[in-house]
């Protein structure tokens, strides 16, 4: 029988960097005995992203952040929107270059993630923040 | 009881830049009394994007466009696909760097948007266009 | 009556470049007589992307790859994660700059694709790979 369910995760960040939360999504699925359906994640912010990326070598996350820091420079004189700090407009752009939306099939109680895929929150601001992710399930 | 619904929005752009249409999506939801479910938006074009971004300070949109104009230069001699104008291949690349797909949970009649999030069509061509966005709802 | 269905496509790539597979998705839809609903595609890898882009002029795909090769250089000394080759970290970054998730409304048996839109797998590694895409349908 079809049903749906909503949940909100609140994730604390320690400033710029990637925070894996695959486990928290899987826990919500297990607690509710969801079997087959579609899981949607939406991040309710404009200066952080949702990301599916490699969960093995931490150097991948280090290189990701190094690349983005070079591509979108804090304090770039191009930017007019600077009232909230040198890292604010770069944080919006980093969000635009990635995404705040993910949709994952769930089959036999397991998310359709590949072996090396983890679900991350990517904080783009340099200071710690509290970030809210809305979870939605529709299925059986 | 579960149901689904389809709709198409036609949005006029005035050339390169961001057009907010959160209100049109919310109007469709209100008109149909959708309560809980998943709202999917798909843009049927390859030289414009869908975007969720800050809806407060217009300088954010100005800086976004300035950054992308510098990152993907009109008339870059790298490009072979130039028959439709200097801004055409950059428009495809800007679309690839962003997205044409969004999925938003709807809970108690409200989209799961953050306080500062708006839904935008980002026109990447320099001339005005008419753009079609397919809306889909599944839920209760 | 609502139902859902899962499928997995296995796509062979010949190294870096775009592989269209719109036809394989449409075939799955036709074989199962899906009419109205939501089709979700998830790529189970972190060094390749899913993409909706222009299916007419092959120069568009050539220019896309040329732009990304210049933006994210193989062997860039910035990268620490190099054990799997010069093209590995760039492949992760190219994936992050695009996406591994797509959601497409299906109406009257037809995907809501625009006239010029095709569904592509974008291989970012230089060597051939076998890539898995999970398909999910929910609807009628």
């Amino acid at each position: 029988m079809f049903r749906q369910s909503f949940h909100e995760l609140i994730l604390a960040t320690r400033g710029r960097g990637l925070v894996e939360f695959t486990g928290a999504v899987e826990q919500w699925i297990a607690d509710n005995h969801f079997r087959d359906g579609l899981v949607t994640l939406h991040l309710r912010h404009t200066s952080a992203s949702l990301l599916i990326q490699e969960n093995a070598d931490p150097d991948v996350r280090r290189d990701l952040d190094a690349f983005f820091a070079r591509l979108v420079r804090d304090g770039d004189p191009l930017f007019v929107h600077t009232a909230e700090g040198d890292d604010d407009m770069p944080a919006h752009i980093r969000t635009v270059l990635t995404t705040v939306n993910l949709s994952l099939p769930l089959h036999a109680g397991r998310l359709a993630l590949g072996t090396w895929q983890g679900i991350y929150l990517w904080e783009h601001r340099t200071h710690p923040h509290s970030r809210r992710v809305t979870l939605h399930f529709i299925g059986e």
Side-chain angles (χ1 to χ4, degrees), chain A residues 66-133:
Chain A
F67 180 85
F68 273 74
R70 189 179 65 186
L71 183 68
V72 194
R73 291 194 186 275
D74 289 346
D76 189 319
L78 181 70
F79 302 137
V80 171
H81 175 81
T82 56
E84 295 168 56
D86 271 3
D87 63 319
D88 185 51
M89 194 59 223
H92 291 308
I93 291 174
R94 290 160 71 122
T95 302
V96 167
L97 287 169
T98 51
T99 190
V100 294
N101 251 209
L102 295 175
S103 291
L104 288 165
L106 178 81
H107 196 22
R110 293 175 63 91
L111 289 169
L113 291 170
T115 313
W116 309 110
Q117 289 183 321
I119 306 172
Y120 291 87
L121 169 67
W122 194 353
E123 174 63 68
H124 297 307
R125 301 300 308 267
T126 54
H127 286 102
H129 281 76
S130 174
R131 301 299 196 175
R132 295 186 298 151
V133 181

Side-chain angles (χ1 to χ4, degrees), chain A residues 31-71:
Chain A
D31 288 348
N32 290 278
H33 308 289
F34 301 144
R35 293 287 301 165
D36 297 302
L38 185 67
V39 173
T40 300
L41 292 76
H42 178 73
L43 177 67
R44 307 178 74 163
H45 304 274
T46 62
S47 55
S49 307
L50 295 182
L51 195 67
I52 292 179
Q53 252 301 318
E54 149 130 12
N55 56 8
D57 183 355
D59 282 344
V60 170
R61 273 100 73 194
R62 179 256 165 224
D63 285 353
L64 269 182
D65 218 80
F67 180 85
F68 273 74
R70 189 179 65 186
L71 183 68

